[in-house]
Amino acid sequence: RMRPASWAMLLVPASHWYDLGIQRTIRITTNTGTSLEGTPEHPIIVADARGQFVFRCLRDLQRGDRAIVKYNTQTFGDATRIPDAETAYILGLLTGDGCLTVKGRIAFTNADREIVDRFCRYFRERYRYTPHRATRPYDFTITDERTYDTFVNTYGLRAVYAAQKTIPEWILLAPKPIVRSFLQGLFDTDGTADARRGYVQLSSSSPALMRTVHVLLLNFGVVNRLHARRKLYNGKLQYYVEMSGDSLP
């Protein structure tokens, strides 16, 4: 809820909800990649020609209107299914460089010695299982049904290919330290930092994953841009979240 006099945002429980059945919706996308979707009469806040905040229905928006997107909301859940920050970090690693499409097997591919050591140490200490090298030099596998079941059915990792990956629901419902550690693991695998150009970037072929990362970063107060471009070798879309300049925490 917004306090009209100061435009301050307040977090309050929902007072009502309405079941209007199936309705036509309108989706808009800002130049930073934020998507908003609602029924045509749903109002959002925009800046008018004088820079004043006003409500405008989705059906009345025009290209070039300036939608006001709230960030740094610092709104997190309290679910404790993910037991600790280190487990959340491992889930981030596996979302980035892991594969669970073979039932009963967790595969992880990474060439960074520090990350690999941390990954292997976690499973040795928590599950008394040492991931073993596969045929390729940077591939590590865990072939333990109990461990696989925990990560898929308890923690919510999906056994899908890269383009269908998502952030586990139990991460989205978790407290701030858990969400932060998951993002750290994800950026440690699929992220890059360019010191010369001054930006940090995350890349994935999954649109659902990247849209959620975009929103999570805004919630942390990190302004970022979500965009996509086609790969030269196969024409498929690759998605990017980028942060630069004052947006970097």
Side-chain angles (χ1 to χ4, degrees):
R1 186 173 69 185
M2 184 174 63
R3 183 180 291 148
S6 62
W7 296 98
M9 303 299 293
L10 304 174
L11 185 64
V12 298
S15 59
H16 298 79
W17 70 278
Y18 302 93
D19 184 356
L20 301 178
I22 298 176
Q23 298 283 316
R24 184 175 69 89
T25 62
I26 295 173
R27 174 181 291 177
I28 67 167
T29 302
T30 71
N31 60 359
T32 59
T34 303
S35 292
L36 303 172
E37 184 174 3
T39 53
E41 69 275 12
H42 187 82
I44 67 168
I45 301 174
V46 301
D48 65 14
R50 297 176 300 166
Q52 299 296 311
F53 289 1
V54 297
F55 284 104
R56 189 166 296 164
C57 294
L58 287 175
R59 65 179 170 230
D60 298 326
L61 293 177
Q62 303 291 325
R63 184 179 294 275
D65 284 346
R66 298 187 176 185
I68 306 303
V69 178
K70 176 67 175 173
Y71 71 101
N72 200 25
T73 50
Q74 300 291 326
T75 303
F76 300 93
D78 56 7
T80 57
R81 177 67 65 89
I82 310 302
D84 51 55
E86 188 65 10
T87 299
Y89 178 80
I90 296 299
L91 287 166
L93 294 183
L94 288 172
T95 300
D97 281 351
C99 178
L100 293 88
T101 54
V102 177
K103 185 173 176 56
R105 187 190 74 173
I106 297 174
F108 180 66
T109 302
N110 196 283
D112 188 303
R113 189 70 256 171
E114 182 179 350
I115 291 175
V116 170
D117 287 346
R118 185 171 176 179
F119 177 83
C120 292
R121 183 169 60 251
Y122 173 87
F123 286 99
R124 282 197 307 269
E125 294 177 353
R126 304 292 182 94
Y127 294 91
R128 299 186 182 278
Y129 188 100
T130 300
H132 53 270
R133 287 185 180 273
T135 53
R136 296 188 302 180
Y138 304 120
D139 290 354
F140 297 84
T141 60
I142 298 167
T143 52
D144 179 72
E145 289 279 356
R146 182 175 65 90
T147 305
Y148 180 90
D149 181 74
T150 298
F151 275 79
V152 173
N153 296 318
T154 302
Y155 298 153
L157 274 182
R158 297 177 62 204
V160 296
Y161 292 104
Q164 288 79 46
K165 286 188 176 184
T166 57
I167 294 179
E169 182 178 7
W170 290 112
I171 292 291
L172 301 178
L173 296 172
K176 182 177 180 177
I178 298 297
V179 181
R180 180 176 59 227
S181 291
F182 175 87
L183 289 174
Q184 288 171 341
L186 184 60
F187 271 85
D188 277 353
T189 48
D190 281 348
T192 58
D194 190 319
R196 183 171 63 85
R197 297 180 181 178
Y199 71 81
V200 174
Q201 181 186 83
L202 183 74
S203 174
S204 172
S205 61
S206 170
L209 174 66
M210 296 299 277
R211 290 180 187 126
T212 309
V213 169
H214 171 69
V215 174
L216 287 180
L217 290 173
L218 289 176
N219 186 41
F220 273 97
V222 180
V223 177
N224 64 95
R225 175 174 174 253
L226 169 65
H227 64 99
R229 59 175 177 263
R230 295 197 179 276
K231 302 175 187 176
L232 294 177
Y233 68 91
N234 63 8
K236 294 182 178 180
L237 284 173
Q238 186 76 0
Y239 297 84
Y240 302 87
V241 165
E242 292 181 354
M243 297 147 283
S244 61
D246 293 339
S247 300
L248 293 174

